[in-house]
Amino acid sequence: ETPVVETPVVEEPVVEVPTTPVVQAIQLTSSTDDYEGTAGNDAYAGNNSASGAVGTLSGTDAIADASATDADSLAIDLHAAWTGFSTGSVSGVETIEITNASSGALNFSTAGITGATTYDIDASAANVTLSALTGMVDIDYTGAGKTVTFTAGYTASSIVATGSQTDTQKLTVENAGTADTSATGDANNAKVVTVDIDYVEAFDIVSNGEANTLDLSGSANASSFTISGAATTEIQNVAAATSFDASAATGNVIATLTSAAADKLATIKTGEGDDSVTVAGNDITTRATISGDAGDDTLTIISGTDTIAPTMSGFETITLSDPTATGGFMLSMSAVTDVTDIKVSAGAMNGNATFINMPSSDITLTTTGAVTGNTISADTAGAVTVDVNAAAAATASAATTSALTFDNAS
């Protein structure tokens, strides 16, 4: 007999197709609401009442979502200040979206909200501030291009205030202030958003849109600042800065770091744009790391009295500003590359300005107006082009300049 050959049955593997989480849209009502979230991405929406109107968000509402794998949201149109949940609460909703629907600045108290990871604030109509935060959250802030103060208040009993960990505030901004459009030499005309966030030690700022200008003087506990994004970004008044890293920024960065503490500023980095950084000479550590990237970058030093020897690259121009503050300032350039221009602003120098160990590459030294009082010295093996400028054409014949000395110049 011919044996029967059985054909093996090939089982097709079962391919599990991942399911897209269902978005469940839930509109709050004017009555007391009590919702338990689903495993999907629940999207709640409501508004608080203005005077004489009926709102759908109440301090007695309760929203609870126990799922840790979804992305829930609560969108609130704010018509009046919100003082928080009283007997109600919100838990497990990851994103709280707050839109100021009024014409005046309003505060939103986060009392009664737990488990939120992001507050998304639309302040394009009028400013919004946050209070009663008990845990670290990310903040997305869209402004109105105006001068305002944005406050996010962590409570004194929060882990942010009491813990020993380093708290990094992620702050994503768009249209927060405006860029400076003034002519050279005129007063800065930028609209500025002052950021007041206490207890955080570091900032991770993402700068989106066209331009953002932030004053960080109200965030006095922060010492480390990271900047990224494609917008033109101006940073002012970083009171305790030890590190400023904008190497991930692709837009122009203008950083005024002159309020840092003496001998504490150890790291300065910029990114792909045409960047400008202003520092006080006495605030830079002796061997600070200073690096630029692509673009035409300028480091302006309010001269001071210290001797510094930074490791520096990527900055094409060094400007000594306010010569009246110079009392024997010395810059050792043994570890400095890429500098092609050194400028000294007009003024009466109270001490000598000395550049030593300069690279062998050619450098142009420019005095932008009458610089008087003491000596500007440069020790270089390269060629030095000197451009002595009067303060203005009308006074060119009367302009004077300090003594210039050059050692080893070719």
Side-chain angles (χ1 to χ4, degrees):
E1 293 184 6
T2 302
V4 177
V5 177
E6 296 184 358
T7 303
V9 178
V10 177
E11 294 185 1
E12 294 291 334
V14 177
V15 178
E16 294 186 2
V17 179
T19 58
T20 302
V22 176
V23 176
Q24 179 175 255
I26 303 169
Q27 180 64 51
L28 302 182
T29 70
S30 58
S31 301
T32 296
D33 296 306
D34 189 352
Y35 292 106
E36 287 190 13
T38 69
N41 298 334
D42 301 324
Y44 302 91
N47 64 279
N48 72 330
S49 60
S51 177
V54 176
T56 60
L57 181 69
S58 166
T60 58
D61 289 339
I63 301 172
D65 192 302
S67 174
T69 59
D70 56 7
D72 304 315
S73 63
L74 169 59
I76 301 169
D77 284 344
L78 209 60
H79 293 272
W82 176 254
T83 57
F85 289 90
S86 51
T87 58
S89 62
V90 174
S91 62
V93 176
E94 287 78 14
T95 300
I96 309 297
E97 302 170 0
I98 303 167
T99 298
N100 191 335
S102 76
S103 58
L106 297 173
N107 181 70
F108 182 89
S109 171
T110 67
I113 299 176
T114 57
T117 57
T118 301
Y119 280 83
D120 189 342
I121 296 172
D122 183 349
S124 57
N127 195 34
V128 176
T129 57
L130 297 176
S131 62
L133 291 165
T134 58
M136 178 57 64
V137 294
D138 294 345
I139 298 172
D140 295 354
Y141 179 90
T142 300
K146 297 180 179 180
T147 294
V148 296
T149 295
F150 170 68
T151 302
Y154 291 96
T155 65
S157 60
S158 68
I159 187 64
V160 178
T162 61
S164 59
Q165 74 283 349
T166 297
D167 295 301
T168 299
Q169 178 65 67
K170 184 173 182 180
L171 177 64
T172 301
V173 292
E174 183 171 349
N175 206 27
T178 63
D180 175 24
T181 59
S182 63
T184 301
D186 290 346
N188 190 321
N189 65 7
K191 300 292 192 298
V192 181
V193 172
T194 297
V195 178
D196 185 354
I197 304 178
D198 289 333
Y199 302 124
V200 299
E201 290 79 25
F203 272 89
D204 177 4
I205 298 172
V206 181
S207 184
N208 294 331
E210 294 296 324
N212 299 285
T213 297
L214 305 178
D215 181 323
L216 297 171
S217 58
S219 305
N221 300 107
S223 60
S224 177
F225 302 87
T226 301
I227 315 295
S228 61
T232 294
T233 307
E234 183 167 351
I235 302 294
Q236 303 173 1
N237 298 322
V238 286
T242 60
S243 174
F244 182 85
D245 185 353
S247 57
T250 56
N252 298 340
V253 173
I254 304 97
T256 303
L257 311 179
T258 52
S259 55
D263 296 318
K264 295 296 185 181
L265 187 55
T267 303
I268 300 170
K269 297 179 180 180
T270 64
E272 296 180 10
D274 294 335
D275 304 317
S276 175
V277 178
T278 301
V279 297
N282 290 349
D283 292 347
I284 305 173
T285 58
T286 302
R287 297 192 179 278
T289 297
I290 303 172
S291 62
D293 202 325
D296 187 3
D297 301 330
T298 297
L299 177 68
T300 298
I301 303 173
I302 298 178
S303 310
T305 60
D306 282 5
T307 296
I308 59 172
T311 298
M312 177 172 162
S313 63
F315 279 82
E316 290 74 25
T317 301
I318 296 175
T319 297
L320 284 189
S321 177
D322 190 11
T324 59
T326 302
F329 177 77
M330 180 178 292
L331 174 63
S332 174
M333 300 178 66
S334 58
V336 173
T337 59
D338 302 323
V339 173
T340 58
D341 292 274
I342 295 176
K343 298 179 180 180
V344 180
S345 299
M349 297 173 62
N350 290 326
N352 298 333
T354 305
F355 301 90
I356 62 172
N357 303 319
M358 296 175 71
S360 58
S361 55
D362 298 344
I363 286 180
T364 298
L365 175 62
T366 303
T367 61
T368 56
V371 180
T372 62
N374 279 278
T375 299
I376 302 171
S377 301
D379 177 7
T380 177
V384 179
T385 300
V386 180
D387 185 3
V388 179
N389 292 332
T395 59
S397 61
T400 59
T401 296
S402 295
L404 304 174
T405 65
F406 304 97
D407 294 328
N408 303 315
S410 58

